[in-house]
Amino acid sequence: MSAPEPTVSVVVVSYNTKEMTLECLRSVCRETSVPYQLIVVDNASTDGSPDAIAQEFPDVDFLREPENFGFALANNKAITEYARGEYVLLLNPDTVVLDGAIDKVVAFARANPMARIWGGRTLFGDRSLNPTSCWRRLTLWNV
């Protein structure tokens, strides 16, 4: 039986962030129930990240880059060449997904399709709101 097509392609770009990236990927797996594709781009890490990620997550789409191409190029490559989801989520490797957040942002996107771009709020390590991650009202400054 084949796996369902992913609703969301989750892209994580890693560079020498082994432990953070592993925890990020664990949290995606633990907290996400919508069908998802996990794409990891490693930008030539030298801290053991590539082997650790490949060993713990053999089913991810894993791109081992021979040099550090940077965040933007790595995301663009993952999206244009590998992403199959209806939605794409760019997730920093220092992120820990909490409380089904990916499921919630997908539900919100489906309920608000005219927005065409969606994002979640971020919290600091103590779980207080990072106010720069969201705005309550649109202004010329934040648009």
Side-chain angles (χ1 to χ4, degrees), residues 81-95:
E81 297 179 23
Y82 294 92
R84 299 184 327 270
E86 178 183 353
Y87 302 101
V88 173
L89 174 64
L90 304 182
L91 199 60
N92 289 342
D94 63 346
T95 301

Side-chain angles (χ1 to χ4, degrees), residues 10 12 14 21 25 38-42 53 60-63:
V10 179
V12 178
S14 172
T21 302
L25 300 176
L38 194 50
I39 305 169
V40 178
V41 183
D42 184 83
I53 293 166
V60 304
D61 291 315
F62 187 49
L63 292 70

Side-chain angles (χ1 to χ4, degrees), residues 66-125:
E67 61 184 274
N68 186 345
F69 293 115
F71 181 77
L73 185 61
N75 276 304
N76 286 337
K77 182 175 183 175
I79 293 165
T80 59
E81 297 179 23
Y82 294 92
R84 299 184 327 270
E86 178 183 353
Y87 302 101
V88 173
L89 174 64
L90 304 182
L91 199 60
N92 289 342
D94 63 346
T95 301
V96 175
V97 177
L98 301 172
D99 304 322
I102 294 174
D103 294 349
K104 290 175 184 176
V105 78
V106 167
F108 184 82
R110 286 187 168 150
N112 297 277
M114 296 301 291
R116 307 291 296 161
I117 188 167
W118 308 270
R121 292 182 293 180
T122 60
L123 306 176
F124 292 117

Side-chain angles (χ1 to χ4, degrees), residues 10-28:
V10 179
V11 179
V12 178
V13 175
S14 172
Y15 178 67
N16 288 329
T17 56
K18 181 172 79 174
E19 292 306 319
M20 286 190 292
T21 302
L22 290 170
E23 184 53 34
C24 174
L25 300 176
R26 289 177 193 128
S27 74
V28 169

Side-chain angles (χ1 to χ4, degrees), residues 33-46:
S33 62
V34 297
Y36 65 92
Q37 171 192 23
L38 194 50
I39 305 169
V40 178
V41 183
D42 184 83
N43 270 331
S45 293
T46 58

